Amino acid sequence: MHIKSLKISAIALVLSLSACGLTQEKVDETRTWSASKLYSEARDELASGNFEKAVSHFEKLESRYPFGTYAQQAQMEIAYAHYRQGDQPQALAAVERFIKLHPNHPNVDYMYYLRGLINFNDQLSFLNFLARQDPSERDSKATREAFESFKQLAQRFPDSKYTKDAIARMNYLVNAMAQYEVHVANYYLRRGAYLAAANRAQAAVTEYREAPAVEEALFIMVKAYDALNLPQLRDDAERVMRKNYPDSVYFSGGPKKSEPWWKFW
């Protein structure tokens, strides 16, 4: 009987300690923090690269103080933290939410800019395929979305401090989209799909007239139309090419191998 009592006491003690441990684990150290302290601590976590904890603090701030100025700032910081963490879907969702809730916020231009950056960085990952994948395996969705995001910023907020950089990135993206079309056209050309190659190259010439990639697109058109035995179209494409690029390297064997054009950024 004595042994049985000891066992029951031991079990009760273990359960008591476990419950105590669980209670301690559930204690939220931020429960008594003011809005300013929550924001300050969240910013420190963000600066230290502790993005998950930073997001947690910002979310608590927004939940506990929904009508203060800190709440709106917290929403912006949540979007940025997800962006820094590399969580594109969550970052974009946070940006869209902020724009929808606060379309007239003094800093909403930054959110348009951030949306562009999120897509832009995804687009840079997309460009990595150029060196090791067939172009037909990927599309340029991220590139176009990044371009549209920066375009909206430039149109809606021409005087924003972010607009100059957005325009520079737009120019870069235009050539990215043109270069993508050219790579796809080359892919078709190498595989003997000459009509598809000509059409894709024509799309690059029509849509991205000022892009450097247009030079190669015209050359692909010349080769594709020649392979299709369409001398008039071939001659037309060559005439346009010689007029706009009289010293083109494609007339003498093409450019030498070098680093991908996009690695300058």
Side-chain angles (χ1 to χ4, degrees):
M1 187 71 179
H2 179 67
I3 295 175
K4 186 177 181 180
S5 297
L6 287 175
K7 286 182 177 179
I8 293 173
S9 298
I11 292 171
L13 179 61
V14 169
L15 290 175
S16 175
L17 291 173
S18 298
C20 182
L22 290 172
T23 302
Q24 289 178 350
E25 286 179 5
K26 291 181 180 179
V27 172
D28 183 359
E29 63 175 348
T30 71
R31 67 188 187 283
T32 60
W33 290 1
S34 65
S36 60
K37 180 171 176 58
L38 253 178
Y39 181 74
S40 176
E41 292 291 333
R43 287 284 298 174
D44 287 345
E45 297 293 350
L46 186 61
S48 300
N50 300 322
F51 304 118
E52 188 172 342
K53 195 167 185 178
V55 169
S56 176
H57 284 353
F58 283 129
E59 287 176 342
K60 289 175 183 177
L61 174 58
E62 183 186 0
S63 175
R64 294 175 190 174
Y65 307 96
F67 304 111
T69 55
Y70 281 112
Q72 295 179 8
Q73 187 64 34
Q75 292 170 12
M76 298 175 69
E77 300 285 6
I78 287 170
Y80 178 72
H82 283 310
Y83 161 64
R84 289 292 309 279
Q85 197 173 18
D87 191 339
Q88 186 201 32
Q90 290 279 22
L92 287 175
V95 167
E96 296 297 344
R97 176 171 177 259
F98 184 91
I99 292 174
K100 183 177 180 180
L101 291 174
H102 314 289
N104 299 315
H105 191 279
N107 296 322
V108 73
D109 59 329
Y110 169 71
M111 298 307 282
Y112 279 94
Y113 179 65
L114 181 59
R115 183 170 65 182
L117 288 180
I118 295 166
N119 284 311
F120 184 82
N121 282 356
D122 186 58
Q123 177 266 337
L124 287 181
S125 296
F126 143 81
L127 284 173
N128 289 334
F129 89 94
L130 297 180
R132 58 182 182 273
Q133 281 186 303
D134 284 331
S136 62
E137 296 178 7
R138 299 288 297 268
D139 62 45
S140 56
K141 180 182 177 183
T143 317
R144 294 181 183 278
E145 289 181 350
F147 182 85
E148 287 302 318
S149 297
F150 289 130
K151 182 179 178 181
Q152 285 186 25
L153 169 65
Q155 290 177 338
R156 297 189 182 196
F157 308 97
D159 298 323
S160 169
K161 63 181 180 180
Y162 305 108
T163 297
K164 182 178 179 180
D165 184 67
I167 291 174
R169 291 174 188 267
M170 285 170 64
N171 291 333
Y172 169 88
L173 289 168
V174 164
N175 197 50
M177 290 185 285
Q179 193 70 42
Y180 173 76
E181 296 297 323
V182 167
H183 275 274
V184 174
N186 261 318
Y187 169 80
Y188 288 134
L189 190 68
R190 291 195 306 271
R191 282 153 182 76
Y194 302 119
L195 182 59
N199 288 340
R200 207 69 188 239
Q202 177 67 57
V205 172
T206 303
E207 294 182 38
Y208 312 107
R209 296 178 182 275
E210 304 300 322
V214 166
E215 178 183 356
E216 186 177 359
L218 286 167
F219 184 67
I220 292 172
M221 290 171 64
V222 171
K223 294 180 71 174
Y225 288 138
D226 188 51
L228 289 167
N229 195 26
L230 296 171
Q232 184 173 346
L233 291 176
R234 178 202 62 205
D235 294 345
D236 288 343
E238 184 173 347
R239 183 166 52 254
V240 171
M241 185 176 178
R242 289 189 180 279
K243 179 180 180 180
N244 290 278
Y245 307 98
D247 300 319
S248 175
V249 294
Y250 291 100
F251 292 130
S252 57
K256 296 180 180 179
K257 295 290 184 181
S258 61
E259 284 292 305
W261 64 272
W262 45 270
K263 282 197 173 181
F264 74 91
W265 200 277

